[in-house]
Amino acid sequence: MASQLPRRIIKETQRLLADPVPGISANPDESNARYFHVMIAGPDDSPFAGGVFKLELFLPEEYPMAAPKVRFMTKIYHPNIDKLGRICLDILKDKWSPALQIRTVLLSIQALLSAPNPEDPLATDVAEQWKTNEAEAIKTAKQWTLSYAQA
Amino acid sequence: MDDEDMSCTSGDDYGGYGDEDYYNEADVDAADDVEVTPTHSEEAEYECLTVSQVERVFLDGMNQLTARIPVNDKCARTLLEANQWDVERVVKLYRQDRTDLFRRSHIDARPEPKRKLSATSGVKAKGYCTVCAMEGHAELPHLACGHCFCEHCWKSHVESRLSEGVASRIECMESNCEVYAPQEFVLVIIKSSPALKQKYDRFLLRDMVNSHPHLKFCVGNDCQVIIRSTEAKPKRVTCLACHTSSCVRCGADYHAPTSCDTIRQWMTKCADDSETANYISAHTKDCPQCHSCIEKAGGCNHIQCTRCRHHFCWMCFGDWKSHGSEYYECSRYKENPSVAAEANHVKARRALEKYLHYFERFENHSKSLKMEEELRDKIRKKIDDKVNEHNGTWIDWQYLHKSVSLLTKCRYTLQYTYPFAYYLTGSPRKNLFEYQQAQLEKEVEELAWAVERADGTARGALEAHMHRAEHKRQTLLHDFFF
């Protein structure tokens, strides 16, 4: 479909494979080099510790002028991630810059797992819980991690 | 007190019109008899400008600024655009804190990104562009911030932003860098593509005109005219090129005595019948800063307007910056559900009845106006016939023509009193308004009756009707519009 894979994507892919970010793996699909199968390990300091979360990442035709499309495939209890796995993260929307990379995006998502931001919620019910009863929210997040995010 | 207002107004403004007007039979004066001279004009003071004349307006502003502070033309343009073309304000901010002004106007970067840049670029090979990951570029253009990218990537970036309708606010490609690409930079980048240049010029002119508080595009179809006016009141402008009339402030149909905000609310409400309007009201909100209509396409309530880049909360419309821990106050349901549901049901019914009352009258006058267009044609024909039959001269019958014109004018204002009344609160003012509205309503209908039967009505009587209707209209506008 795409005429030729841009050098930028080839280089990013090479680097992701040769020098992976700790706790993150990203592998291009065999049939489509713009589609990546991503795994992010739940950060140790978070309620998602011990879980492995599957994501999909797609580089649209306009990439890097437009942001990659990223979505959680694994169910997760997080105020900035909704039922469909969509992520509320500024750099995936208006704060996207062509100088950002797949690597930086995945790092930001990893950081989002460590630091949920209920002030900027996507899943409002989860955010509400996170703000009113954080202990309970963290307990639920741990339960979900155990139930859904085991490798 | 209301009565005092009334008599005072009529005494001051119309005292010069005595009874003799009604019986004045002199042909020479006939045309002016019914003209009630208002103290205020409904027409805004304005001028119609071409694109090159508008460019001169911008140049004047820039020259004023460069005479006051040591900046070049291009810089002056950006500073003014970012500050509503207020020279005094820019000079003041410049003297207060130059660095801050340049940063806020997106001319210079904050110092941090520069450090970050030097750290990363040191590792890279020569002529390396981080966006396309290619080496050996002869040139790596950059903005004032110093972030270097190759020309090809800059062009793709500009193209991508233009496709989203962004022209004067194209940001640097570096993450978190808020410097905007100035016109001369963009023009160099897209010099090889006339199509892009054309698009850029068009959008840039739009952005510049929108940034200037005294400039507005004419709302006429395909009209290139830009209207310049310093009018603060929502008065009427008529484009000299395409003859389209509109409100000088908001560009909608002229709507005295109603205000721009009210008429926007009203028109949205009136369009509510259609499915599109239902969708718009259910799924979109207006940006609290620039009033662009925004559709929420994702779940996130932190919205940034693509037009004015304002950050706000979808729930409470507050500025996102000041949006702290009290966020959930704006989504929390506070009322007792069962009581609230019943009360809301009754309230909704009553609200609907009230709305229909005003809407029916508004709509009815709108229809009458259309039908009186036909009446105008009929009268024109009647005048022609009479003149052909040697029954008076063309000038003799002009009063008939004038009577329809006046009827249209009065009915038009009357139509727009209904949205005003709908949103009017506070009883003494509302009472006075509704009294005057009723007076105007009565006079307009009597005039319409007289005009439709103009043959049988004596000229003096018709002109008395005309005078009274215009008098009521002026009184109402004077008390509630000017």
Side-chain angles (χ1 to χ4, degrees):
Chain A
M1 186 188 79
S3 49
Q4 201 199 339
L5 205 60
R7 188 177 153 79
R8 153 94 185 235
I9 296 181
I10 298 171
K11 290 211 59 162
E12 276 200 65
T13 311
Q14 283 170 352
R15 187 153 172 245
L16 279 170
L17 296 174
D19 176 20
V21 190
I24 297 176
S25 79
N27 294 295
D29 190 83
E30 284 167 15
S31 60
N32 186 347
R34 287 177 175 271
Y35 185 91
F36 288 77
H37 301 276
V38 179
M39 302 284 229
I40 297 183
D44 287 341
D45 56 352
S46 74
F48 311 103
V52 176
F53 296 88
K54 209 170 156 245
L55 293 89
E56 58 174 1
L57 182 147
F58 180 69
L59 303 176
E61 192 61 38
E62 304 80 34
Y63 182 81
M65 296 309 151
K69 299 185 184 304
V70 198
R71 190 170 77 91
F72 271 84
M73 308 290 278
T74 308
K75 232 167 119 75
I76 182 167
Y77 193 80
H78 191 289
N80 310 104
I81 300 160
D82 74 0
K83 270 189 277 193
L84 300 174
R86 295 177 302 187
I87 308 162
C88 182
L89 187 61
D90 56 356
I91 60 161
L92 292 177
K93 295 187 212 162
D94 55 280
K95 285 285 180 194
W96 170 253
S97 131
L100 292 169
Q101 302 180 6
I102 302 175
R103 175 181 293 268
T104 41
V105 166
L106 295 179
L107 273 168
S108 298
I109 294 173
Q110 197 182 35
L112 193 64
L113 294 184
S114 295
N117 178 12
E119 301 296 339
D120 200 352
L122 184 53
T124 40
D125 50 335
V126 181
E128 179 84 54
Q129 174 80 323
W130 219 279
K131 291 193 74 171
T132 52
N133 190 348
E134 195 177 338
E136 193 61 34
I138 287 174
K139 209 174 125 194
T140 315
K142 279 183 179 160
Q143 270 168 10
W144 282 36
T145 306
L146 274 175
S147 320
Y148 307 111
Q150 298 307 305
Chain B
M1 183 210 145
D2 296 346
D3 285 340
E4 257 173 44
D5 271 355
M6 287 277 303
S7 59
C8 168
T9 309
S10 39
D12 280 356
D13 299 331
Y14 312 110
Y17 289 87
D19 286 348
E20 73 270 36
D21 281 334
Y22 303 153
Y23 308 109
N24 193 335
E25 294 289 304
D27 279 343
V28 272
D29 293 341
D32 300 321
D33 276 349
V34 288
E35 303 278 325
V36 178
T37 316
T39 42
H40 304 273
S41 171
E42 286 176 75
E43 309 299 325
E45 278 186 27
Y46 66 100
E47 46 185 335
C48 289
L49 305 179
T50 62
V51 173
S52 56
Q53 285 170 320
V54 161
E55 198 51 49
R56 220 165 296 142
V57 172
F58 293 137
L59 282 175
D60 284 349
M62 284 149 63
N63 288 337
Q64 275 180 39
L65 186 65
T66 48
R68 303 276 301 276
I69 57 172
V71 291
N72 65 28
D73 284 357
K74 286 151 192 158
C75 186
R77 184 187 276 262
T78 315
L79 286 173
L80 287 168
E81 197 205 338
N83 294 284
Q84 289 88 47
W85 293 85
D86 186 340
V87 175
E88 291 307 318
R89 182 178 144 158
V90 174
V91 171
K92 198 177 134 221
L93 290 172
Y94 183 88
R95 290 187 179 144
Q96 267 172 11
D97 187 344
R98 203 167 73 187
T99 323
D100 186 56
L101 171 68
F102 277 53
R103 194 160 60 70
R104 280 168 183 274
S105 309
H106 302 272
I107 296 172
D108 271 344
R110 277 170 294 177
E112 301 89 58
K114 281 188 180 165
R115 280 207 304 276
K116 201 170 125 198
L117 170 85
S118 53
T120 50
S121 62
V123 194
K124 303 292 180 192
K126 229 183 162 199
Y128 182 82
C129 167
T130 50
V131 169
C132 61
M134 304 275 229
E135 289 142 23
H137 291 291
E139 270 184 67
L140 292 175
H142 60 82
L143 305 177
C145 51
H147 300 122
C148 298
F149 304 98
C150 76
E151 276 184 63
H152 181 80
C153 287
W154 272 117
K155 192 179 165 189
S156 310
H157 179 57
V158 169
E159 194 170 357
S160 158
R161 304 303 286 145
L162 282 177
S163 71
E164 292 167 34
V166 178
S168 68
R169 295 177 165 118
I170 299 177
E171 285 150 339
C172 167
M173 281 196 277
E174 184 60 41
S175 169
N176 273 325
C177 180
E178 291 181 341
V179 175
Y180 289 158
Q183 185 185 13
E184 66 274 11
F185 181 87
V186 177
L187 288 178
V188 172
I189 292 296
I190 59 173
K191 61 180 183 292
S192 57
S193 169
L196 272 187
K197 187 184 178 301
Q198 201 190 357
K199 202 170 180 182
Y200 179 68
D201 288 344
R202 200 175 74 231
F203 286 166
L204 193 66
L205 176 70
R206 178 206 61 190
D207 287 352
M208 297 296 276
V209 168
N210 287 342
S211 74
H212 200 298
H214 301 152
L215 299 176
K216 284 267 176 327
F217 283 101
C218 168
V219 292
N221 280 346
D222 295 326
C223 184
Q224 301 294 311
V225 164
I226 294 148
I227 290 165
R228 183 193 196 186
S229 173
T230 52
E231 187 62 63
K233 283 217 154 58
K235 295 190 177 183
R236 178 169 47 210
V237 286
T238 306
C239 173
L240 300 178
C242 72
H243 308 295
T244 308
S245 280
S246 63
C247 164
V248 67
R249 299 305 314 155
C250 70
D253 284 346
Y254 177 60
H255 49 69
T258 314
S259 73
C260 295
D261 283 342
T262 308
I263 204 70
R264 190 188 304 120
Q265 250 178 300
W266 175 255
M267 286 307 185
T268 315
K269 203 172 171 55
C270 291
D272 255 354
D273 284 341
S274 78
E275 281 306 305
T276 313
N278 279 340
Y279 184 88
I280 289 171
S281 71
H283 297 270
T284 74
K285 294 178 182 180
D286 289 352
C287 167
Q289 188 166 287
C290 71
H291 303 294
S292 298
C293 190
I294 295 172
E295 178 180 19
K296 187 152 113 61
C300 183
N301 285 321
H302 176 179
I303 305 289
Q304 187 188 18
C305 172
T306 49
R307 191 170 146 210
C308 71
R309 313 246 114 196
H310 178 56
H311 291 267
F312 66 97
C313 166
W314 186 255
M315 298 309 296
C316 74
F317 288 107
D319 189 324
W320 192 264
K321 276 196 204 95
S322 60
H323 219 293
S325 50
E326 69 268 57
Y327 175 75
Y328 278 94
E329 284 308 301
C330 59
S331 63
R332 186 169 286 147
Y333 189 62
K334 286 173 190 135
E335 280 167 314
N336 180 347
S338 66
V339 174
E342 197 184 337
N344 280 343
H345 176 72
V346 177
K347 252 189 251 165
R349 254 193 109 77
R350 203 170 301 142
L352 184 68
E353 276 165 18
K354 176 187 168 190
Y355 165 68
L356 283 177
H357 170 90
Y358 290 100
F359 177 74
E360 275 165 13
R361 281 153 185 81
F362 177 80
E363 191 60 15
N364 187 40
H365 283 303
S366 166
K367 281 181 192 148
S368 296
L369 276 172
K370 283 195 193 98
M371 286 189 279
E372 279 163 5
E373 269 306 301
E374 291 165 26
L375 178 67
R376 183 196 295 269
D377 288 342
K378 257 189 244 163
I379 289 205
R380 205 172 286 146
K381 246 181 107 188
K382 196 189 278 176
I383 294 174
D384 284 349
D385 291 347
K386 283 189 190 289
V387 172
N388 287 340
E389 288 160 16
H390 301 289
N391 182 3
T393 67
W394 197 71
I395 283 180
D396 292 337
W397 297 107
Q398 276 309 289
Y399 77 95
L400 282 180
H401 194 250
K402 279 192 176 294
S403 67
V404 198
S405 299
L406 188 89
L407 175 61
T408 305
K409 197 158 101 175
C410 290
R411 199 184 283 287
Y412 188 90
T413 302
L414 185 57
Q415 183 193 349
Y416 281 93
T417 60
Y418 284 98
F420 188 93
Y422 178 77
Y423 292 104
L424 196 61
T425 49
S427 58
R429 204 168 132 78
K430 192 174 173 123
N431 287 345
L432 174 62
F433 183 81
E434 289 189 335
Y435 171 75
Q436 296 195 5
Q437 185 186 38
Q439 295 271 303
L440 179 59
E441 181 86 50
K442 173 176 161 274
E443 293 303 338
V444 165
E445 294 314 332
E446 283 183 6
L447 177 61
W449 179 272
V451 170
E452 279 179 18
R453 289 154 188 79
D455 262 347
T457 320
R459 177 173 176 180
L462 183 61
E463 285 180 346
H465 281 304
M466 288 163 74
H467 181 82
R468 281 205 301 273
E470 176 62 4
H471 185 161
K472 296 292 180 209
R473 192 181 82 89
Q474 287 296 343
T475 308
L476 189 139
L477 286 180
H478 182 271
D479 289 358
F480 292 93
F481 182 62
F482 293 123

